[in-house]
Amino acid sequence: MGLLLLLTSMLLSSYFHSGRVVTAQRLFKIRDITLSIEPAPDVTRDTNVTLRCQAFVSSSGQEALSREYRIYKDGNTIYSKNTSTSEDLLYPLSEARVSNSGKYKCKISIEQKDMTSGAKKLTVAGLSKPLLHINKDVVSEGEEVTATCTAPGETGSFFFYFYEDTKEIQEKQVNSNQAEARLHFSSTGYHKIHCGYTVLVTPESFKSKESLSVTVSVKELPIVAVLEIFPESKIYEGDKLDIFCSVKNNPRSTESINLYLSQGSQLLSSGYSTVNHSMVALAKDPEEFECRLEMGNVRKFDTKAVSVTELFSVPTLTMYPAEVFQREYMTLNCRSETSASERLDRDELTYTLDPTESPLISKVNGVFSVKALLYDFNYTCVAKAKEIVKRSETLTVRPKVAVSTPKISVVGRVVIGQSFKILCQSDIGSLPINYTLLWGYDQLNITTVKEPFQQALFTVTVRKSDEISKYMCEARNGQKEAPLSKRLNATVIVPLTNPILTVLPHLPEISEGDHLYLICGVNGTPPVTFKWYRVGNEHPLYTITTHMNNTNYRVSALSKEHSGMYYCEAINHANILVRSDLVTIEVRLALWKKVLIGGFCLLALSVLVVVVVLCFKSKRGKREAAAELSVKPSRPKSDDSLTVNLTHDTEVYNAATDAAPLYDGTEGRVTNGARDSVASLPADISNRSSYSIPATV
């Protein structure tokens, strides 16, 4: 029984938490949430504005859900509320102000689920006109006035501004709609003041109109500052000045009085009732003396300017000549243009040079003879009379460096008939330097070098090799003597001419197996690059660069294939290519081949002679044998007779019958094509023009 009660209590506790019932099967969905501004997003001041937050929630069951709403302005929470109703949340902004302007959002949270609406911007236009109030409208000099500026009905963060006429005199930042300022006026008379304010609504600001002006009358106190300077007139340099600063019409108030005596920005003295100062008068740029009185907020001052006549003017230092070379003597003149002759004798005015370490020679007051140093040096003239010392502006002497003997050279190569450049250059010398090019001793051209890396270049042309040595150059930068360079020494390149291709051995003697030498020669300046070509070949057979005007190309073990047309080309630094005439080379048979062919010819001729002799003997024997044969003639019939016409040298004869006997070329024999009969011919047949041969039966 006890166990049953325990299980029951555990089941019930799963449905209860913090005193309320939770339904495990309860489901909900926040579908959407919107924020709207009523009556409109843009309103004027004093409009009643309502922010409406509307949430759309779907849920299972009849019991209402607990909802938490939050309203945000510019990211900060300004309102929150818990409710279990589904009605819209309304947040009123009564009599809206500019400070209510901003971006608003609405957020709903239900059981750890939330959703935030989109931002809506509210703009409220219009600010109230500020009100200015002062505690006194009539005050004495130095007395304080309290001014209060109010922005009626406005809220937010403010900047208040206080103005005197159009000039801003104070600024206050407060978080309320009212600011207070304590004002002091530096001068007597009437002063008009007004105020204005600005409301800060991040990230914008809104400025109000200006308040009405309020007039404050400031009365002058009788107290004054008095400045006295003695002597009052005809003051010269070196005179003693006595200056007094005092108070007049002291009201004997409890406020302490302070006096300040100054000249320009320099404070000379200070005190309480009377201040004095003594000094030597100097004629420099005029500066006012001021006696200043301060009593609380009261400021009084008196100023005076003193005119001091110069005893002598500031000296000027000049040099002669205007340009000087190192270690040369120059003259420095130091003079004051004006002096007060009624107070100063000329002998009282003395001049010195600073520094005095340099060797000086002075025979006349203010005139110095100085030897120029090797480097730049500064001089200052010091004029002195009656304890008055004046210094001139610093004169910087820059001694010039005499130009050194120039060096003359060529730029690039010198080719006869082609223009080239000559360079004249000195190692040392102050700029500018004038360089003059000479041919012999005749002036050709002048170039001025003004910059450190500038060069003196001259463009010329030579037509003969010996002309190059006539060029010289002269350098001058102001010195009396102009150094002259040495004569120009440079290699002159003569362009190549007369290219000739020579063949060894001589053309008729060139045979197979010989060594052929193709010698190419030119006139001109080496080094020369030679190339040999054979007509039909694009690339050269051989290339060589030599410091001679001729060289050769050797072809070893000639053969018939080496026959052809050859030429050579040559070029030097003048870059003008020359070509020889064509040479035709025919390689003949070698001598042993000629002998061998001759032997074969003689042998063949001998064999032919032997054969002819043998043939002749053989034919002769046959004719003799044929003569010995007996020939038996018969009565020929008229229709059977065969008549043969035989001509000399074995020509063929025509027969009268259809049979066509032919002479076969053998002496004493005739072949009858019809009967193949052979007749023996007499030995003297050759001496007959015709012969009758009896027919064979």
Side-chain angles (χ1 to χ4, degrees), residues 179-221:
E180 187 178 278
R182 300 182 183 276
L183 307 178
H184 300 89
F185 300 98
S186 59
S187 62
T188 60
Y190 295 99
H191 299 268
K192 289 186 177 182
I193 61 173
H194 63 275
C195 71
Y197 66 91
T198 297
V199 180
L200 297 180
V201 182
T202 306
E204 299 177 273
S205 63
F206 300 87
K207 190 172 184 179
S208 72
K209 296 180 180 179
E210 294 180 348
S211 70
L212 297 176
S213 296
V214 176
T215 302
V216 177
S217 177
V218 180
K219 295 181 179 181
E220 184 178 8
L221 293 175

Side-chain angles (χ1 to χ4, degrees), residues 258-552:
N258 293 311
L259 293 175
Y260 301 94
L261 178 61
S262 60
Q263 181 186 19
S265 60
Q266 182 182 4
L267 180 63
L268 302 177
S269 183
S270 63
Y272 298 104
S273 58
T274 301
V275 175
N276 57 68
H277 180 74
S278 297
M279 60 184 296
V280 176
L282 298 175
K284 53 184 179 180
D285 294 337
E287 291 185 354
E288 289 186 335
F289 291 91
E290 180 184 80
C291 175
R292 187 177 185 85
L293 178 152
E294 293 184 3
M295 184 180 67
N297 294 321
V298 178
R299 305 287 188 270
K300 299 279 188 173
F301 56 89
D302 187 15
T303 60
K304 285 185 179 180
V306 176
S307 177
V308 180
T309 303
E310 281 188 325
L311 275 179
F312 55 91
S313 61
V314 175
T316 56
L317 181 61
T318 58
M319 65 176 287
Y320 179 82
E323 292 183 345
V324 65
F325 286 87
Q326 293 173 338
R327 295 190 177 92
E328 285 187 352
Y329 278 96
M330 60 181 175
T331 300
L332 299 179
N333 293 310
C334 182
R335 278 286 180 270
S336 292
E337 297 298 329
T338 61
S339 62
S341 58
E342 66 273 16
R343 287 288 190 95
L344 183 66
D345 294 334
R346 283 217 170 258
D347 294 339
E348 295 181 85
L349 182 58
T350 60
Y351 301 97
T352 57
L353 278 185
D354 184 26
T356 58
E357 290 81 4
S358 56
L360 303 174
I361 301 174
S362 178
K363 296 181 179 179
V364 180
N365 186 21
V367 180
F368 306 91
S369 181
V370 182
K371 190 175 184 179
L373 304 178
L374 299 178
Y375 48 86
D376 293 358
F377 204 80
N378 294 329
Y379 292 97
T380 303
C381 171
V382 181
K384 183 178 181 181
K386 293 186 176 182
E387 302 303 322
I388 301 298
V389 177
K390 295 184 180 181
R391 303 175 69 89
S392 70
E393 292 185 359
T394 300
L395 173 66
T396 300
V397 178
R398 294 184 171 87
K400 296 185 67 173
V401 178
V403 68
S404 61
T405 301
K407 298 176 182 177
I408 187 169
S409 60
V410 297
V411 179
R413 296 187 175 95
V414 181
V415 179
I416 288 181
Q418 298 181 11
S419 61
F420 63 96
K421 293 184 182 297
I422 293 178
L423 171 64
C424 287
Q425 188 173 21
S426 296
D427 293 334
I428 59 174
S430 298
L431 300 176
I433 301 174
N434 293 326
Y435 291 96
T436 303
L437 182 66
L438 305 175
W439 196 77
Y441 289 96
D442 297 329
Q443 177 179 311
L444 295 181
N445 202 353
I446 298 176
T447 295
T448 301
V449 174
K450 300 179 181 179
E451 302 296 332
F453 298 102
Q454 186 180 353
Q455 292 182 326
L457 295 172
F458 303 90
T459 302
V460 297
T461 305
V462 294
R463 301 187 180 280
K464 297 180 181 179
S465 299
D466 57 354
E467 291 181 0
I468 195 72
S469 61
K470 294 184 179 181
Y471 287 101
M472 296 181 292
C473 70
E474 178 185 83
R476 185 187 296 272
N477 67 344
Q479 74 272 37
K480 296 178 181 179
E481 296 182 0
L484 191 65
S485 72
K486 295 180 179 179
R487 293 185 178 274
L488 179 59
N489 183 15
T491 300
V492 179
I493 299 173
V494 179
L496 300 182
T497 56
N498 301 325
I500 297 176
L501 181 62
T502 305
V503 180
L504 289 179
H506 298 302
L507 291 176
E509 301 174 1
I510 299 174
S511 302
E512 289 180 323
D514 290 348
H515 297 314
L516 176 66
Y517 293 90
L518 300 176
I519 303 170
C520 191
V522 293
N523 294 330
T525 303
V528 182
T529 298
F530 292 94
K531 293 182 180 181
W532 286 264
Y533 291 87
R534 180 179 180 180
V535 175
N537 291 347
E538 180 181 355
H539 300 288
L541 302 173
Y542 182 59
T543 301
I544 187 173
T545 300
T546 178
H547 287 274
M548 297 185 297
N549 287 76
N550 59 78
T551 188
N552 66 83

